[in-house]
């Protein structure tokens, strides 16, 4: 079948406004749910990170409360630990977009630390959007869109309908007063047509080849939309 590129954060912390480091990484559900869906459909998944570092999972995302119980939490952790894709990523700088049929960015707060300022990731996103290939982005993964700058200096996602982790969700999650910036605010500032669903409920926005999900619960429907486009 096809090869799908997963771009994950390499950051294990988020620097808060007061300079303290908040432990984080990528959110397990947002990586594992699409990973399993794509693999089950016969696709190959390749993980890429800045510098090729092993992506750190947000330990909080492995809690039973976020995975429908301890049994599934243990299963998710086992998938991440046993899948070579997550243990042996390629360097983002070595990615050739022509090798892949689709691109997917999961979230977690990690992308706000590294992918939000990673020019190579921004270049890849700009190319992926222009290529027409299915491009999926979930939750805080949308922070990576901030560096997707076109040759004329404008953001590639300006004017596009999309979503991401909302100010309401960040506030309810407790980090809004502590972070340097809010994702929804920054996406609106770059000119995106930000769409917002109910907090924590699955919400997906499709704009051409771009498929974005608001929160962890949106990762499964985003994967479904990407699979439809690949089919």
């Amino acid at each position: 079948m096809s090869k799908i590129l997963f771009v994950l954060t390499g950051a294990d912390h988020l620097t808060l406004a007061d300079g303290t480091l908040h432990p984080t990484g990528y959110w397990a559900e947002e990586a594992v749910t699409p990973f399993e869906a794509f693999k089950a459909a016969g696709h190959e998944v390749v993980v890429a990170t800045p510098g090729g570092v092993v992506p750190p999972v947000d330990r909080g995302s492995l809690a039973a409360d976020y995975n429908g119980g301890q049994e599934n939490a243990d299963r998710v952790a086992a998938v991440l630990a046993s899948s070579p894709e997550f243990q042996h990523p390629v360097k983002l700088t070595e990615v050739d977009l022509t090798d892949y049929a689709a691109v997917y960015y999961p979230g977690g707060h990690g992308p706000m630390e590294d992918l939000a300022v990673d020019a190579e990731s921004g270049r890849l996103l700009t190319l992926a959007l222009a290529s027409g290939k299915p491009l999926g982005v979930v939750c805080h993964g949308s922070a990576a869109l901030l560096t997707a700058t076109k040759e004329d200096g404008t953001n590639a996602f300006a004017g596009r309908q999309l979503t991401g982790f909302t100010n309401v969700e960040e506030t309810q999650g407790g980090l809004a007063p502590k972070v340097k910036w809010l994702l929804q605010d920054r996406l609106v500032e770059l000119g995106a047509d930000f769409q917002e669903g109910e907090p924590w409920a699955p919400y997906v926005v499709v704009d051409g080849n771009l498929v974005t999900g608001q929160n962890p619960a949106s990762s499964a429907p985003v994967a479904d939309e990407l699979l439809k486009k690949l089919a």
Side-chain angles (χ1 to χ4, degrees), residues 8-26 50 53 56 58 92 105-119 121 139-147 170 175 178-183 186:
L8 269 64
T9 179
D12 64 2
H13 68 272
L14 174 63
T15 305
L16 301 180
D18 65 0
T20 60
L21 305 184
H22 174 73
T24 186
Y26 67 88
V53 301
D58 186 317
L92 195 53
Y105 276 68
H109 281 94
M112 292 180 68
E113 184 75 20
D114 60 355
L115 296 179
V117 293
D118 191 299
S121 170
C139 202
H140 288 93
S142 296
L145 309 185
L146 300 177
T147 60
E170 202 74 87
L175 271 185
K178 302 177 182 180
V179 295
K180 296 178 180 179
W181 48 273
L182 294 171
L183 178 58
R186 291 290 296 273

Side-chain angles (χ1 to χ4, degrees), residues 183-220:
L183 178 58
Q184 180 176 349
D185 289 349
R186 291 290 296 273
L187 292 171
V188 170
E189 288 169 7
L190 70 79
D193 182 1
F194 191 90
Q195 310 285 308
E196 183 174 357
E198 291 297 316
W200 313 108
Y203 185 71
V204 175
V205 176
V206 180
D207 183 348
N209 62 316
L210 176 64
V211 182
T212 52
Q214 180 172 309
N215 47 37
S218 307
S219 58

Side-chain angles (χ1 to χ4, degrees), residues 28-53:
E29 179 182 358
E30 296 170 24
V32 171
T33 299
F35 175 76
E36 292 187 315
F38 296 145
K39 295 280 280 189
H43 298 294
E44 177 184 351
V45 172
V46 175
V47 172
T49 63
V53 301

Side-chain angles (χ1 to χ4, degrees), residues 7-98:
V7 180
L8 269 64
T9 179
D12 64 2
H13 68 272
L14 174 63
T15 305
L16 301 180
D18 65 0
T20 60
L21 305 184
H22 174 73
T24 186
Y26 67 88
W27 197 259
E29 179 182 358
E30 296 170 24
V32 171
T33 299
F35 175 76
E36 292 187 315
F38 296 145
K39 295 280 280 189
H43 298 294
E44 177 184 351
V45 172
V46 175
V47 172
T49 63
V53 301
V54 176
V57 64
D58 186 317
R59 305 308 299 180
S61 70
L62 295 175
D65 289 348
Y66 292 124
N67 293 281
Q70 190 60 51
E71 182 177 355
N72 193 56
D74 292 342
R75 186 193 68 80
V76 168
V79 169
L80 293 172
S82 63
S83 300
E85 293 89 346
F86 293 100
Q87 305 307 316
H88 304 285
V90 302
K91 294 180 180 179
L92 195 53
T93 53
E94 296 177 354
V95 168
D96 183 348
L97 183 62
T98 61

